[in-house]
Amino acid sequence: DAKTTQPPSMDCAEGRAANLPCNHSTISGNEYVYWYRQIHSQGPQYIIHGLKNNETNEMASLIITEDRKSSTLILPHATLRDTAVYYCIVRVVTLTSNTGKLIFGQGTTLQVKP
Amino acid sequence: KAGVTQTPRYLIKTRGQQVTLSCSPISGHRSVSWYQQTPGQGLQFLFEYFSETQRNKGNFPGRFSGRQFSNSRSEMNVSTLELGDSALYLCASSLVRLGGADTQYFGPGTRLTVL
């Protein structure tokens, strides 16, 4: 699985958009980009995933560059409850294999400030 | 739909003892994965079970074992506990859809303290 690089920490003002970058320059064609977050000592929470197209759901948007070497998670209107560690993970998915192994890095600690 | 449940939520054991943790996946999910989270090593993959068979294993000693039952519920066991086994143990379940990207959903974890 490809390695990801994320900044260790970021701040964001409440109500503003939070843009969390992730670098995955060695990503291969069958690797998806997944984002999870973990709020202090709780289980990680799934946010969104994508292969090459931009994706949006009720929680966030995922923007993947055309060469797929980096991506950005966007929380459109950050609240204090969005303060958490955000993990960017790349994961191999093939037609015959969809394994449950996720490799977590250190993630980005997002601090949303009033 | 109920989420992933883990029992117990908190556990205190002493060195040398063994412990069994339980995980009930989301209804219909067939894969269960286990992870260990410590301040020093972060979140690390332990193993994955699918259809009662272990199909992936992380880099942990043989003291860590698991199993999955026919109803997809899973247990993990740690024998001869060491102080370093103190951690948050997380379970995640997924549907397993061939040909599509699956999503793992995590439980709240079991906090194990070894004294």
Side-chain angles (χ1 to χ4, degrees), chain A residues 71-114:
Chain A
S71 60
T72 301
L73 178 74
I74 301 172
L75 308 178
H77 306 286
T79 71
L80 298 179
R81 288 180 297 177
D82 292 321
T83 292
V85 179
Y86 287 77
Y87 296 99
C88 169
I89 300 163
V90 292
R91 177 176 166 229
V92 174
V93 176
T94 66
L95 286 176
T96 56
S97 172
N98 206 337
T99 72
K101 181 179 179 180
L102 297 177
I103 299 175
F104 287 82
Q106 296 305 307
T108 295
T109 299
L110 174 69
Q111 183 73 46
V112 180
K113 299 185 174 180

Side-chain angles (χ1 to χ4, degrees), chain B residues 6-98:
Chain B
Q6 293 187 245
T7 56
R9 294 292 312 278
Y10 301 91
L11 205 49
I12 299 175
K13 292 284 187 179
T14 55
R15 277 183 301 173
Q17 287 187 310
Q18 74 164 11
V19 66
T20 299
L21 312 181
S22 180
C23 172
S24 292
I26 292 171
S27 177
H29 284 197
R30 299 185 293 162
S31 165
V32 173
S33 298
W34 288 89
Y35 295 80
Q36 180 197 64
Q37 185 172 28
T38 60
Q41 299 297 319
L43 263 158
Q44 293 186 284
F45 172 78
L46 278 158
F47 31 64
E48 179 199 7
Y49 285 87
F50 173 67
S51 292
E52 302 178 62
T53 301
Q54 186 183 89
R55 70 172 181 175
N56 261 308
K57 188 177 188 308
N59 189 24
F60 279 83
R63 299 185 298 107
F64 292 81
S65 63
R67 60 177 175 169
Q68 186 180 35
F69 302 96
S70 58
N71 61 358
S72 293
R73 191 177 69 85
S74 177
E75 288 180 348
M76 69 161 281
N77 183 276
V78 188
S79 62
T80 319
L81 284 166
E82 301 176 358
L83 295 179
D85 297 333
S86 293
L88 181 66
Y89 289 88
L90 293 154
C91 163
S93 76
S94 61
L95 195 58
V96 184
R97 297 182 301 139
L98 293 180

Side-chain angles (χ1 to χ4, degrees), chain A residues 22-97:
Chain A
C22 179
N23 182 286
H24 31 78
S25 58
T26 60
I27 194 169
S28 59
N30 60 359
E31 286 184 308
Y32 282 69
V33 179
Y34 281 75
W35 284 83
Y36 284 79
R37 73 181 183 183
Q38 187 174 28
I39 298 170
H40 184 63
S41 291
Q42 297 179 20
Q45 177 188 23
Y46 166 76
I47 302 173
I48 199 167
H49 73 275
L51 181 62
K52 50 186 174 183
N53 297 322
N54 298 339
E55 302 286 346
T56 296
N57 63 21
E58 64 280 2
M59 286 184 68
S61 294
L62 173 61
I63 308 298
I64 303 174
T65 58
E66 196 169 335
D67 62 7
R68 303 209 320 124
K69 293 184 177 182
S70 66
S71 60
T72 301
L73 178 74
I74 301 172
L75 308 178
H77 306 286
T79 71
L80 298 179
R81 288 180 297 177
D82 292 321
T83 292
V85 179
Y86 287 77
Y87 296 99
C88 169
I89 300 163
V90 292
R91 177 176 166 229
V92 174
V93 176
T94 66
L95 286 176
T96 56
S97 172

